[in-house]
Amino acid sequence: MKTPLYILGLLKRHGPQHGYQIRKNIAERVADFAYIKLPTIYYHLEQMEKKGLVSSTKSREGNRPERWVYDLTSAGEKELQKILRSFSGKEYRAEFDLDAVFFFLDFLPGRSQIIEALETQRSDLRALLANLAKHRREVSSHMSGKARSIALLLFSHHEKHYRAECSWLDEAILVLAEA
Amino acid sequence: MKTPLYILGLLKRHGPQHGYQIRKNIAERVADFAYIKLPTIYYHLEQMEKKGLVSSTKSREGNRPERWVYDLTSAGEKELQKILRSFSGKEYRAEFDLDAVFFFLDFLPGRSQIIEALETQRSDLRALLANLAKHRREVSSHMSGKARSIALLLFSHHEKHYRAECSWLDEAILVLAEA
DNA sequence: ATTATAATAGTCAGGATTGACTATTTAAGG
DNA sequence: CCTTAAATAGTCAATCCTGACTATTATAAT
């Protein structure tokens, strides 16, 4: 349910937009932190219009076909505040697909395949961390002051968890290797 | 999509069961690691029966009303292996609702409310960690050898990520306080 | 000038999840 | 013995998410 928040927030920050534009904004600004697909955006735009949180008008620009451009209503503005508050209170719960694999590990014949898979995951994760660090440096150099500290918090959040995951993979590979 | 895996795995490990029994098994054995609701279980039992992964028979025990008891088929057994393998290769991706709050932080009026919410989250998380440690000790004392090391990996996995989250909350609270 | 490729802008059907609800049976307390 | 609470066993409607698909326009390459 993060999608409505991102849509409302981006409409407030960057003004009226159509669905594809919202997706572009998400891709350019929060791709590292939120994975939202285009159909999900259109779905919520429709739902939120039904609820009166956004309004839509047809618009034609240049040679492009007509598009529905969405705008934040005052009800949508209130909803944005409400969601922001409710998200502040939502507790973090971790769930990992790999846990299920380990829970049923005795049903898998050989250990070597899993160890290989885990090693692949670990190097993928390291690449992801390197990429994140690169993006962090870019953001860091384009911003300053209070806003910069807050933007860096998002990177820190993900880096902490990805490092935790790497460290756990180390442990898991060790345990599997000696079993 | 972890639910089919848990259902198939628990059917293999504990034999034919009806939906409610599967939920009990999940609640008793993996409640710390997977959050699966009863309707989700029934939904997947139905789907998997359509696909021939489980078979069902009506059964009456004692005074209880008739129930559909599900059993693993050989196709289900194969599917279990397949899911286990595919889950070994699925990469971890972190997503946090709080990130969206920080991304749109400038839309919230006061900082003090958020700081309070984060502090509540941190103490809830500490309680969760304490509870997890208690459960770990229980499991640890009931098991031994290889199986014990693997069971402890699941606890370690969650503890690492919950500690990462606590540590990030510390950082976030500090940044917000001085902003 | 023409073809190929990428970017733009969406739609739709199918699958997954769960809150809220119903109904029965057993256990506990007075 | 009777009432109440808890456990058992499940259903249904509403909601959310996304892979696969369609179609147009702009850009690049030949």
Side-chain angles (χ1 to χ4, degrees), chain B:
Chain B
M1 280 248 325
K2 58 196 184 300
T3 310
L5 174 50
Y6 279 107
I7 293 175
L8 294 172
L10 288 172
L11 284 177
K12 182 172 166 79
R13 185 164 289 161
H14 302 290
Q17 291 158 74
H18 54 268
Y20 193 80
Q21 234 170 329
I22 293 174
R23 206 222 49 179
K24 270 194 79 179
N25 271 316
I26 288 179
E28 284 164 15
R29 296 165 205 279
V30 289
D32 284 324
F33 315 121
Y35 309 100
I36 299 171
K37 299 301 187 300
L38 196 50
T40 311
I41 292 169
Y42 285 109
Y43 168 74
H44 284 286
L45 282 172
E46 238 177 77
Q47 297 300 311
M48 292 198 295
E49 189 177 17
K50 276 185 200 162
K51 291 179 196 161
L53 306 177
V54 299
S55 62
S56 72
T57 42
K58 261 189 190 166
S59 132
R60 154 159 285 151
E61 257 175 77
N63 208 13
R64 294 237 134 255
E66 280 197 328
R67 295 169 302 195
W68 287 104
V69 174
Y70 292 88
D71 195 7
L72 202 56
T73 66
S74 60
E77 180 99 33
K78 266 177 210 154
E79 179 70 8
L80 173 55
Q81 300 290 327
K82 198 178 138 197
I83 301 180
L84 279 174
R85 267 176 242 286
S86 84
F87 268 39
S88 310
K90 271 173 66 182
E91 212 185 334
Y92 166 70
R93 281 284 177 284
E95 263 186 292
F96 310 103
D97 288 343
L98 271 179
D99 289 348
V101 176
F102 279 88
F103 188 67
F104 294 119
L105 200 65
D106 46 323
F107 295 155
L108 277 173
R111 294 283 185 273
S112 61
Q113 274 186 32
I114 308 154
I115 294 182
E116 250 179 76
L118 296 182
E119 278 165 350
T120 304
Q121 289 216 27
R122 188 171 50 179
S123 58
D124 288 355
L125 223 50
R126 282 177 185 153
L128 200 154
L129 265 166
N131 204 43
L132 212 54
K134 203 183 110 201
H135 292 177
R136 174 167 43 77
R137 283 191 297 274
E138 283 164 19
V139 165
S140 192
S141 68
H142 288 308
M143 299 180 83
S144 65
K146 214 190 293 188
R148 182 163 155 276
S149 315
I150 287 167
L152 291 183
L153 270 181
L154 297 194
F155 286 97
S156 163
H157 202 181
H158 285 250
E159 285 171 347
K160 275 177 193 284
H161 280 274
Y162 286 129
R163 275 198 292 269
E165 187 68 6
C166 274
S167 146
W168 179 74
L169 283 170
D170 288 340
E171 192 185 326
I173 289 166
L174 262 178
V175 167
L176 281 190
E178 61 189 46

Side-chain angles (χ1 to χ4, degrees), chain A residues 59-158:
Chain A
S59 131
R60 156 160 283 151
E61 255 175 79
N63 208 13
R64 293 237 134 256
E66 281 198 327
R67 297 168 302 195
W68 286 104
V69 173
Y70 292 88
D71 195 7
L72 202 55
T73 66
S74 61
E77 181 99 31
K78 266 177 210 156
E79 179 70 10
L80 172 56
Q81 300 290 327
K82 199 178 139 197
I83 302 180
L84 279 174
R85 268 176 242 286
S86 84
F87 269 38
S88 311
K90 272 173 68 182
E91 212 185 332
Y92 166 70
R93 281 283 176 282
E95 261 186 293
F96 310 103
D97 288 343
L98 271 179
D99 289 349
V101 176
F102 279 88
F103 188 68
F104 293 120
L105 199 66
D106 46 323
F107 295 154
L108 277 173
R111 293 283 185 271
S112 61
Q113 274 186 32
I114 309 155
I115 294 182
E116 249 178 77
L118 297 183
E119 279 164 349
T120 304
Q121 289 217 27
R122 186 172 49 178
S123 56
D124 287 355
L125 223 50
R126 283 177 184 152
L128 200 155
L129 266 166
N131 203 43
L132 213 54
K134 201 183 111 201
H135 292 177
R136 174 166 44 75
R137 281 192 298 273
E138 283 164 18
V139 165
S140 193
S141 68
H142 287 309
M143 300 179 81
S144 66
K146 214 191 289 186
R148 182 164 155 275
S149 315
I150 286 167
L152 292 182
L153 270 181
L154 297 193
F155 286 98
S156 162
H157 202 181
H158 285 250

Side-chain angles (χ1 to χ4, degrees), chain A residues 11-45:
Chain A
L11 284 177
K12 183 172 166 79
R13 185 163 291 161
H14 302 289
Q17 293 158 74
H18 55 268
Y20 193 79
Q21 233 170 330
I22 293 174
R23 205 220 50 177
K24 269 194 80 177
N25 271 317
I26 288 179
E28 284 164 15
R29 296 164 204 280
V30 288
D32 284 324
F33 315 121
Y35 310 100
I36 299 171
K37 300 300 186 301
L38 195 52
T40 311
I41 291 169
Y42 285 109
Y43 168 74
H44 283 286
L45 281 173

